[in-house]
Amino acid sequence: MTRHAPERRGLTTLKRATATGAAALAVAGLQPGSAHAAPVPIPAPVVGGTPAAQGEFPFMVHLSMGCGGALYRNDVVLTAAHCVGRSGRNTSVTVTAGAADLRSTAAIKVKSTKVKRAPGYHHKGRDWALIKLARPLDLPTLNIAEDGRYNKGTFTVVGWGATQEGSRSRPGKLLKAKVPFVGDGQCKRHYGNRLVPAEEMCAGYPRGGVDTCSGDSGGPMFRKDDSGQWIEVGITSWGDGCARAGVPGVYTEVSAFAKNIAWAADTL
């Protein structure tokens, strides 16, 4: 399930877009991708999370198709490929920023103008995409990891997705949680050849209980760098269910695509 966005996470789903978001994509002719051999991704919220304070993660944005994302540049959002359709002109996405509570009057809304999906994306690995905004936002951006040195330790995940597997309820308030790194060998004990180690990484607790879920797809997984600043190391992508024991969440390994992402942003 894709966890994250039009659902890649949930039940072998892309991790996590909402059903409503997936429907909206279909209407717009944008077909969300599937996590594994080809399940359609399903978004989900942070399971086992706690409310984030207003302004705590100012780079975090919500996408109208039911995914999350982070400001890579003031006018460019980094999200998951399975959350968007093909590359090109696209004015159908509404980006909500500047508010932990989506119903807040402080929320800023801006439309998309273009989408750039990872070249060669075929619903397995390479799960990243960029969305160009109609105007730049006066908000902090989130740097991305350019090498694998930060692919370890404990990460922060955030999202507006479901708070438990199978739930269609969305709190509307940004939730946050901590999840530890899980090595490729341990992660493959569950996912086997469905995992693409060179392009994906895993995180989660052996006992489960904390995880991203449907509607969280595309959101950042991040930690502090050596200077104490937040840095994005993963993009919520997919997983089997949400917060199950022995089943880590799967995230796009950002450092594997850092140069590609920078080039794509320059060409938007």
Side-chain angles (χ1 to χ4, degrees), residues 172-263:
K173 295 183 178 180
L174 187 64
L175 298 182
K176 62 180 180 179
K178 299 281 190 180
V179 288
F181 171 77
V182 174
D184 293 340
Q186 181 178 345
C187 194
K188 291 190 74 172
R189 291 176 188 171
H190 175 77
Y191 291 112
N193 291 333
R194 289 185 293 163
L195 184 72
V196 184
E199 301 178 359
E200 298 173 324
M201 58 188 295
C202 302
Y205 293 93
R207 67 179 183 280
V210 180
D211 195 6
T212 49
C213 192
S214 298
D216 292 328
S217 289
M221 179 172 75
F222 49 98
R223 53 158 290 174
K224 292 291 182 69
D225 64 14
D226 293 337
S227 63
Q229 301 300 308
W230 290 122
I231 188 166
E232 184 170 0
V233 298
I235 300 171
T236 300
S237 182
W238 64 279
D240 288 343
C242 303
R244 297 179 184 179
V247 184
V250 182
Y251 300 81
T252 302
E253 188 173 326
V254 171
S255 61
F257 302 103
K259 291 182 179 179
N260 307 75
I261 291 170
W263 177 85

Side-chain angles (χ1 to χ4, degrees), residues 1-17 35-36 39-45 47 82 162 164-167 170 190-191 194 211-217 236-244 247-250:
M1 163 185 211
T2 271
R3 272 178 192 199
H4 315 41
E7 253 37 55
R8 234 195 128 170
R9 235 224 157 172
L11 303 174
T12 295
T13 192
L14 284 176
K15 232 173 182 182
R16 319 219 219 230
H36 317 293
V40 175
I42 302 166
V47 177
H82 75 259
Q164 65 180 36
E165 184 179 323
S167 173
R170 300 293 182 271
H190 175 77
Y191 291 112
R194 289 185 293 163
D211 195 6
T212 49
C213 192
S214 298
D216 292 328
S217 289
T236 300
S237 182
W238 64 279
D240 288 343
C242 303
R244 297 179 184 179
V247 184
V250 182

